Amino acid sequence: MKMKKALILFALLLTASLLGKTVHIFSDYVKPEKDRAFYQGNVLVEIDEDNLKLSCPTMTISKYQQEWRLVEATGTTYMEFDGGSATSTALNYDLKTTQGELLQGVTAEIFDQESTDTVFLTCDSLKIDLSKDLFEGYSEQKVRIVKGSIEATAENFTYDREAGIIELSGSVQLVDNDKNITISADSVTIKTENDEMTATNAEVEIVVEE
């Protein structure tokens, strides 16, 4: 009974410290401490105000600047947010700023606002800013992006979902199957509304059908 009261009190403190943002956390085991709380087993986080859901095997929430803010999730982590979802092996996330980073074997699906396409992302690291709909990816080998008829690899990418812009940089290789073109370039910028592209230091191969 004492443990139950302690968990309820901890939940109330967490809610109050986030200025009215209600964070629902479910898990098989929880160990709340003064400046952090440890969760293990079927961890599920729901934040209705942010339209955010997070599931993982283990998670720690720590205080930062006297507020319960910093989430560190480990193991297979699934994150569902407004307009998309992502899976990784680890996650660092700030509950207040809605910024974070997914790490190791990251895959993501994001519904583009300017078109009817879903943007598929694969990378080693995906930095997210959900308040700005901004996503930045990096891989030691190559990131991979698929959008409609476009398939591309590069060292880095930035996807501004609100502006409808994808920027690829570093040894970019791109194939547009609708336009029958292949581009090798230092960088490529794509407008997601109509797939209009610009490239720098580019070599373009066009397939002319007979």
Side-chain angles (χ1 to χ4, degrees):
M1 187 65 180
K2 290 183 179 180
M3 183 61 177
K4 184 177 180 180
K5 289 182 179 179
L7 295 180
I8 292 173
L9 177 59
F10 176 74
L12 290 173
L13 289 172
L14 179 59
T15 299
S17 67
L18 290 173
L19 303 177
K21 183 184 292 187
T22 304
V23 181
H24 301 281
I25 304 174
F26 308 90
S27 69
D28 294 339
Y29 172 83
V30 58
K31 182 182 179 183
E33 298 176 353
K34 181 180 178 181
D35 294 321
R36 70 172 188 169
F38 176 74
Y39 299 85
Q40 184 175 32
N42 299 309
V43 181
L44 175 63
V45 180
E46 296 180 347
I47 308 175
D48 294 338
E49 290 85 348
D50 295 339
N51 198 19
L52 178 70
K53 291 183 180 180
L54 169 67
S55 62
C56 58
T58 59
M59 179 183 74
T60 301
I61 297 182
S62 303
K63 276 188 176 181
Y64 177 68
Q65 297 179 343
Q66 304 303 313
E67 296 179 304
W68 292 102
R69 289 176 49 178
L70 304 183
V71 172
E72 182 178 347
T74 54
T76 301
T77 302
Y78 176 74
M79 187 178 199
E80 186 177 312
F81 47 88
D82 189 21
S85 62
T87 302
S88 65
T89 306
L91 166 70
N92 298 314
Y93 185 73
D94 189 323
L95 293 169
K96 185 173 183 178
T97 65
T98 68
Q99 297 175 348
E101 183 176 14
L102 295 102
L103 298 162
Q104 303 173 19
V106 183
T107 59
E109 299 180 13
I110 303 172
F111 308 113
D112 185 62
Q113 291 182 325
E114 302 298 320
S115 68
T116 59
D117 293 331
T118 297
V119 179
F120 297 91
L121 309 172
T122 304
C123 53
D124 291 342
S125 164
L126 180 64
K127 293 183 179 179
I128 60 175
D129 186 338
L130 298 182
S131 66
K132 297 180 180 178
D133 265 346
L134 189 63
F135 306 86
E136 299 179 17
Y138 161 80
S139 283
E140 289 188 4
Q141 299 297 321
K142 288 288 187 75
V143 300
R144 185 170 186 268
I145 293 182
V146 177
K147 177 192 177 292
S149 64
I150 297 173
E151 300 179 25
T153 59
E155 294 175 6
N156 307 276
F157 71 81
T158 299
Y159 174 31
D160 188 331
R161 181 170 175 257
E162 185 174 337
I165 298 291
I166 297 174
E167 295 181 349
L168 306 166
S169 61
S171 303
V172 181
Q173 298 289 323
L174 183 147
V175 176
D176 189 328
N177 294 294
D178 279 352
K179 298 175 183 176
N180 290 327
I181 63 172
T182 300
I183 299 176
S184 301
D186 286 347
S187 65
V188 174
T189 300
I190 305 168
K191 293 183 179 180
T192 62
E193 180 180 11
N194 53 16
D195 292 343
E196 180 180 299
M197 302 179 207
T198 57
T200 61
N201 296 325
E203 177 182 340
V204 181
E205 181 181 298
I206 301 174
V207 177
V208 180
E209 296 181 354
E210 298 180 357

